[in-house]
Amino acid sequence: MDDAAIGGASDGELLAQHVAGDPHAFGEIVRRHRDRLWAVALRTLGDREEAADAVQDALVSAYRAAHTFRGQSAVTTWLHRITVNACLDRARKAASRRTSPVDDTERLEQLLEPHESAAAPAERGDLHRELLGALRTLPPEQRAALVLVDMQGYPVAEAAKVLDVPTGTVKSRCARGRARLLPLLSHLHPNGRGSVPSGGGRNRSQGTSVPPAAGPTDTDAVKGGGGRA
């Protein structure tokens, strides 16, 4: 498949071409979806290195498991499900091996790109760090649901497909997560009652927002089952 044909193909067609042996098709899928997968991973894990590793793990898994895709959901939903599962696995492992306090301030500072720190108002940077720090206090499943629905703007039904759980479970996880976050973030809301700030997306709500997470700039698309994304 030439470059023009690859660029005009749908995600499903590209995945089928990859399964058929096209060496370039999966790289185009990665190019199309890497930034959104990165944003989900970064906000779910709150750590740049862990997020990059999770996205790499997810893309390698997707590369190898492409033949199992049956088209029962969109390719992007399938990729997000694999990415969220990779994030949850890493979050659980991190929680089980954590034996001493982590300097969250130092690690959260690393989430801001240098140009973002210089260009964005200080209060936005502070908000971004506070929100990510508060998210890290939630159980991984609640964190993943809130990232998808409140920060990435996914409808509850679509988030349920990504997480592979009933819509009611997504709603309850979001509700419990918001209830735990409100006391930590209430001072950020103009009327003092608090809300979970959104990071943009299809369900973006009124109120304070955080700057969108920047995609990785030092990693390459997965090709041939290897590389970083």
Side-chain angles (χ1 to χ4, degrees):
M1 183 181 288
D2 58 30
D3 291 344
I6 285 179
S10 68
D11 289 344
E13 290 169 340
L14 287 172
L15 202 61
Q17 288 296 324
H18 163 64
V19 173
D22 189 305
H24 306 295
F26 195 79
E28 173 64 14
I29 291 175
V30 172
R31 186 193 67 78
R32 292 180 182 181
H33 300 287
R34 177 177 54 199
D35 287 350
R36 285 182 65 82
L37 298 179
W38 167 259
V40 168
L42 184 59
R43 286 165 167 167
T44 301
L45 291 169
D47 179 276
R48 180 175 293 278
E49 183 175 349
E50 285 287 306
D53 287 344
V55 172
Q56 176 181 327
D57 291 347
L59 289 175
V60 170
S61 295
Y63 182 96
R64 294 172 175 169
H67 65 282
T68 68
F69 180 74
R70 295 291 179 263
Q72 295 176 333
S73 62
V75 171
T76 184
T77 300
W78 179 70
L79 289 172
H80 276 73
R81 180 185 304 147
I82 295 173
T83 301
V84 168
N85 285 338
C87 290
L88 294 179
D89 286 344
R90 285 187 169 272
R92 294 185 189 106
K93 290 176 182 177
S96 67
R97 66 174 178 260
R98 187 176 297 128
T99 58
S100 60
V102 177
D103 188 346
D104 284 341
T105 301
E106 179 180 352
R107 296 182 71 181
L108 290 172
E109 285 285 353
Q110 298 172 5
L111 299 181
L112 295 177
E113 294 289 342
H115 71 271
E116 186 177 77
S117 298
E123 59 269 21
R124 289 191 71 194
D126 291 342
L127 171 60
H128 196 178
R129 287 189 291 274
E130 286 195 53
L131 177 58
L132 290 172
L135 280 170
R136 287 172 64 88
T137 68
L138 299 179
E141 289 80 5
Q142 292 178 18
R143 194 188 318 163
L146 280 176
V147 165
L148 289 173
V149 175
D150 285 359
M151 299 185 73
Q152 295 301 118
Y154 276 87
V156 170
E158 193 170 347
K161 292 179 181 178
V162 170
L163 297 172
D164 198 22
V165 296
T167 56
T169 300
V170 174
K171 291 178 181 178
S172 63
R173 288 178 181 177
C174 286
R176 291 196 300 269
R178 292 180 190 122
R180 294 182 63 162
L181 287 182
L182 284 179
L184 302 177
L185 301 175
S186 59
H187 62 290
L188 302 177
H189 197 270
N191 62 17
R193 292 182 301 183
S195 66
V196 179
S198 68
R202 287 163 285 184
N203 286 347
R204 186 168 183 171
S205 58
Q206 296 294 322
T208 310
S209 64
V210 299
T217 58
D218 58 349
T219 57
D220 297 321
V222 171
K223 292 184 180 179
R228 294 176 67 87

